[in-house]
Amino acid sequence: MKTRQTILLIACAILLGLNVSMAAEPNYPTKPVELSVGVEPGGGIDLSARMIAERIKPHLGQEMVVVNKPGAGGRVALTFLSKAKPDGYSLTSVGDPAIVLIPHLEKVMYDPIDDFTSVIQYGSFNIGYSVLADSPFQSIKDLIAFARANPEKLTVCSMAVDSPGSIGFQAMALHEGVKVKIVPFSGSGPAISAVLGGHVTVAGTSLSSQMPHIKAKKFRLLAVMGDERDPAYPETPTLKELGYPIVLESWYYIYGPKNMEKPVVKKLEEAFRKVIDSPEFTKFAQERLFWVKRPVAGEDLRTALVRRHKEHGELLKKLGMIK
Amino acid sequence: MKRWMNRISTLFLFGFSVFILSLSLRLKVGSFKNPGAGFAPFLASLLLLSLSGVILVKDLLGVSERDQKVPFVTLKNLIKPINLMLALIGYGLLFTVLGYVVATFLLMLAMFIIYQPKRWGPHVITAFIIVGVSFLIFDVWLRVPLPKGIFDFSSFIRSWW
Amino acid sequence: MDVLNSALYGFQISLQPINLLYCLIGVILGTLTGVLPGLGPSGTIAILLPITFHAPAVSSVIMLAGIFYGAQYGGSITSILVSIPGEPSSIVTCIDGHQMARHGRAGPALGISAFGSFIAGTIGVIGLMLVASPLATMALKFGPPEYFSLMILGLIILIYLTQKSLIKAISMGAFGLILSFFGMDIVSAQPRFAFGVDELLDGVGIVPIAMGLFGVAETLVNLEQTEEVKLFETQIKGLLPSRKDWADSFWPLIRGTVIGFFLGILPGGGAILASFVSYAVEKKVTKHPEKFGKGAIEGVAGPESANNAASSTGFIPLLTLGIPANVVLAMLFAGLLIHNITPGPLLLKEHPDVFWGVITSMYTGNILLLLLNLPLIGMWVQITKLPYRLLFPLIILFCVVGVYSIKNTVFDVWIMLIFGAIGYFMKKCDYEPAPLTLAYVLGPMLEQSLRQSLIMSNGTASIFLVRPISLIALVVAAFLLVTAFTGFAKQKRLQVVEGEDPLGQGMGPPGSE
């Protein structure tokens, strides 16, 4: 009996003697940072986030690991983020849909501005509407005509049911008084596959995700949804030109949980900015069509988002999509 | 024993399916045209409900189970499994408090003792070795984040590096 | 032949020493991640991706690809030795593989698994070279209705995995489906069955469930024995497959390869679906169905070949369309992007060196994996010699760390314990864990394609019958279901006539004639 107890005591003593109390975090970051993305792998948003994450290590000193948390246009990832610890190790790459658009249409489990810390914008994804290159539809007008003749037959898909692509098309349909079907997908990757396979007719995803297929002549780009024509596709009209005053730009930015410490946010902002301003990233962003001239960050970003949230609300009201 | 366990299992499945069924109704099942969040769970729980119902009925009617003849467990057999479960529950509770190293050491010790209650000495040493080696593999080499609790071996070892 | 030229070109690249080195590193890491549950290939690749920044494009992709298919090799090791699946595609291997180990035949099991993986992987790569493009086009034809029907077919096949009660197997499938619906709904972002617990918003988790049902539950059952637990027969019967083993495994290997080859193109559960379709097929065509569940080598050879063939063809959507089928491939995609290479329809034209280099590297990768794994069999087999008092704590430790390391939350450990308890009851009452786990894996895709299809068709269920591929899948599923029931009924009648089976183990699976 005694021997057993003694041995046990000695073992515990050794273990206790080796203990070192935890010191406060001296230098953020001391372990990898998680960047979650609200879409399925593949597709413009996922890839741009991964690109940034790969490039940030020398500036941050730690790796940034990308994790996919797809669903509901980014709302799933954001709901997780709103509950995460604001220690700087949980970030999300999020886009306008879940912040300035969807909250007007549905109840969301977070406050889009106040539950988060805005870090920095890194891109602006323009939406394009494409059909298969061998499809009989040559223009948006053709699509509308078809929808009018065949109510609820025209299928449209996008990165999510509530993405700017889906909403833009719905707004157009509403304006014209036709009915279309929006098929839910969770990411532009699967959505584009569906269109390529002929299962869905129209793809309303980012130009970034459609680009390789347009280039390979598999897709025919019918229109873009922007203030002006996209420099990469100067012959393609905007929805505005076609008579639909719908402009839903899609900013993408890095978000963190609310109440992150200012020095941590500053450090992150600097690191991200270094990556975004680097020539390789600029080239990459330009090639993949999401480049933004002067990325907004920190407090400026927050102010801009508040403003855009309001503007989108008004736009939706004007379009008759909300009361 | 066996019939008792079977009854519990079937009742569990039955009850579970009823529970999920009611929850999915609240979730908006939607229609065929517009399936909602509760659509699929509704169908699946309905399936489970009917199946477990069938099993329950068969059981109550006393349809002979062919494995009735297999010798089953007595309470004596259940001591070790129950002890293991208790040890694991304790581990779960203490894992983050005491940190990986200490909690796992205690768990290893407990597991050895459960199996062979006789000799503690060698158990302590083996537990020590296993915890040490696993710590080196998981924390130091693979850098798997393990809870530190109140003892922080990770930074300690790293400060030596 | 044009392909031959391209292949030679590719080999010139992949056989360069540096690429061979990267390939070796990749497959070793892949095997490790396959062995350790929770530390999946995605985690490893995530950590390694920054390293590839400094390496040449082709080399890094070769390494990352190696990790991907290497994981398929590693996953079967733990399945065979301790009945814990290292990868979801190795779940089926637990069934017969572990039984073989218990009979002292761990060596042949591991051996046929390695060889099968090699042969299937190689044939897969050759097929890849020849038919990548047409295969990709064919894959595109699978839209939501086709996926739905395929998933249904997959679920029906689950019945063929059952050794015992048919109804209980189906109810485990339903249970698994329901569990897969826990979490946030992917379409409406509504939390489902989360009960206010934040961690549940992400779903229950396949790893905690599998570790609980297979690892913890098995240990609990084993501990019931009052004497020393002798899990494995002491006499080890050979380290490599015997001639008879090879003869028995030949056709399963071929069939498994074909099955995996075609199912691998489908994004999502390609390899997993392939592994258990193969198992079901083998069980159906064998002359000795009663061997299944007790250590039939066909039950290892088929599925292991299938999952490796599937991992070869899994690259096709990525390389030809630029659409990654899963997270691991998405990282590969990102890896290529870093080097300014965009996979997609133009990859072959713009960067043939990457395309062919990677494809031919898969061939060398498979060889390396075989050379690596075979000698290790001797080592792995030693594990079966460990006394149970040492083995079970290690298994438990393994499970706990594996589960914890996924999301660094003790919650997952609790889930594992809960499923350990559930699994224990399941084992005692003849409910099998495989149907539950596999239904859990297929559930999300099943639901999503169902909803998508219904929206596409405006609520008419006929969409599943109108489209040819979907129709075929459903007809086969219905056929299997009917024969399962009639076979089962016949089996029951036989039992009543000949008296009860004293071992309570049944006379054979449903559907055996």
Side-chain angles (χ1 to χ4, degrees), chain B residues 2 37 67 77-78 115, chain C residues 192 224-225 229 424 428 430:
Chain B
K2 175 94 171 187
D67 12 42
N77 298 101
L78 290 179
Y115 196 73
Chain C
R192 292 196 292 195
E224 279 175 359
Q225 299 179 30
V229 176
Y424 175 75
K428 306 303 310 177
D430 298 326

Side-chain angles (χ1 to χ4, degrees), chain B residues 30-72:
Chain B
S31 61
F32 265 88
K33 247 197 173 195
N34 194 11
F39 193 73
F42 178 76
L43 292 177
S45 51
L46 205 60
L47 179 64
L48 187 61
L49 187 76
S50 26
L51 289 176
S52 51
V54 168
I55 303 178
L56 203 62
V57 163
K58 272 173 77 173
D59 189 31
L60 290 172
L61 286 182
V63 173
S64 68
E65 297 274 323
R66 60 199 149 138
D67 12 42
Q68 203 77 297
K69 284 216 182 126
V70 181
F72 206 61

Side-chain angles (χ1 to χ4, degrees), chain C residues 259-272:
Chain C
I259 293 173
F261 188 76
F262 287 105
L263 287 179
I265 331 172
L266 304 173
I272 307 167

